[in-house]
Amino acid sequence: MLKKAQFAISMAQYAPSGALKSIPQIALAGKSNVGKSSLINRLANHSKLAKTSSEPGKTRLINFYLMEDAFYLVDLPGYGYAKASQEERKRWAGMIEGYFANAKELCCVLQLVDIRHKPTEQDVMMVNYLRHYQLPFCVVATKCDKVSRAERSRAIPVICRTLAVQPWEIFAHSAQTGLGTEALEDFIRKALTEPANGPREEENDL
């Protein structure tokens, strides 16, 4: 899908500025260490574009990656990192809420969950948040290379029930093997053609 991708900018708080082009944005949300950076690298066909780490909580800023000079992939800080202080977790939640409230160019959110585990309470809260503010989203079940096909088939219904989504709203994906990348690319293409979202309501705590 992408032949040109580059890091653009990091922000502690989202604010439209001259450093960002007025082009569509696709955001990635999910708990710490769920694989957001790995997914960006797979979509960009660039193994080192976004820094990955086995240690959760490494993404502490909002990172923007310019794709084909046409749209941004936006890597949001991961939530649910137990070892982070309460103050730090509150700051990350504020960063995420501030982004959703002010990113008028946002077309869609890729909500990532680890296929090996039942979605967490924080995952449910995030999906409910996206629904409440009518932010288009899909669910990406990551790390599919780490489970068998049978385990994958059993995990998808659990994700559906927990997050109250339909099977066609879930993309099973592996950043390691590329499984599911083509289908996800097709979804992103379609999302980029949708009109921008309207005004945001007053945000709530995640």
Side-chain angles (χ1 to χ4, degrees):
M1 175 182 177
L2 301 171
K3 297 180 180 179
K4 183 180 179 182
Q6 64 188 70
F7 171 77
I9 191 174
S10 292
M11 294 183 178
Q13 291 292 335
Y14 179 74
S17 67
L20 288 176
K21 299 183 178 183
S22 296
I23 55 178
Q25 299 178 12
I26 303 287
L28 287 81
K31 64 181 293 186
S32 297
N33 208 33
V34 74
K36 297 189 299 297
S37 297
S38 295
L39 176 56
I40 290 171
N41 288 339
R42 169 58 70 172
L43 292 172
N45 196 27
H46 190 317
S47 63
K48 296 182 179 179
L49 178 64
K51 293 182 180 180
T52 60
S53 174
S54 59
E55 181 182 344
K58 281 297 185 181
T59 301
R60 301 188 178 190
L61 298 170
I62 304 171
N63 295 319
F64 292 78
Y65 298 90
L66 180 60
M67 303 296 178
E68 296 285 355
D69 291 324
F71 69 98
Y72 290 106
L73 285 179
V74 184
D75 188 8
L76 299 173
Y79 52 79
Y81 181 38
K83 291 185 179 181
S85 67
Q86 183 175 358
E87 182 179 346
E88 188 79 348
R89 291 198 299 268
K90 186 178 294 185
R91 186 176 70 84
W92 293 348
M95 290 169 63
I96 296 171
E97 290 181 18
Y99 171 77
F100 286 144
N102 295 294
K104 305 306 181 185
E105 296 82 5
L106 178 62
C107 292
C108 182
V109 179
L110 308 183
Q111 172 62 37
L112 276 61
V113 297
D114 188 330
I115 198 168
R116 299 172 298 176
H117 309 293
K118 180 180 178 180
T120 66
E121 181 180 351
Q122 290 94 342
D123 293 325
V124 174
M125 291 174 65
M126 176 60 80
V127 167
N128 288 339
Y129 180 96
L130 297 174
R131 282 199 186 97
H132 181 76
Y133 292 103
Q134 300 181 339
L135 298 171
F137 72 94
C138 73
V139 176
V140 181
T142 64
K143 307 188 180 185
C144 286
D145 57 291
K146 299 184 182 299
V147 298
S148 67
R149 182 173 295 183
E151 289 172 324
R152 191 161 71 236
S153 296
R154 290 193 293 269
I156 295 299
V158 174
I159 296 172
C160 288
R161 289 193 300 271
T162 307
L163 300 181
V165 296
Q166 299 299 323
W168 57 83
E169 296 177 286
I170 299 177
F171 293 86
H173 187 266
S174 167
Q176 295 299 316
T177 67
L179 172 73
T181 300
E182 185 174 349
L184 190 54
E185 288 174 346
D186 287 342
F187 175 84
I188 291 174
R189 287 191 190 97
K190 292 176 183 177
L192 291 171
T193 65
E194 295 295 324
N197 293 296
R200 307 288 195 268
E201 299 179 44
E202 183 178 351
E203 59 269 21
N204 225 349
D205 288 341
L206 291 179

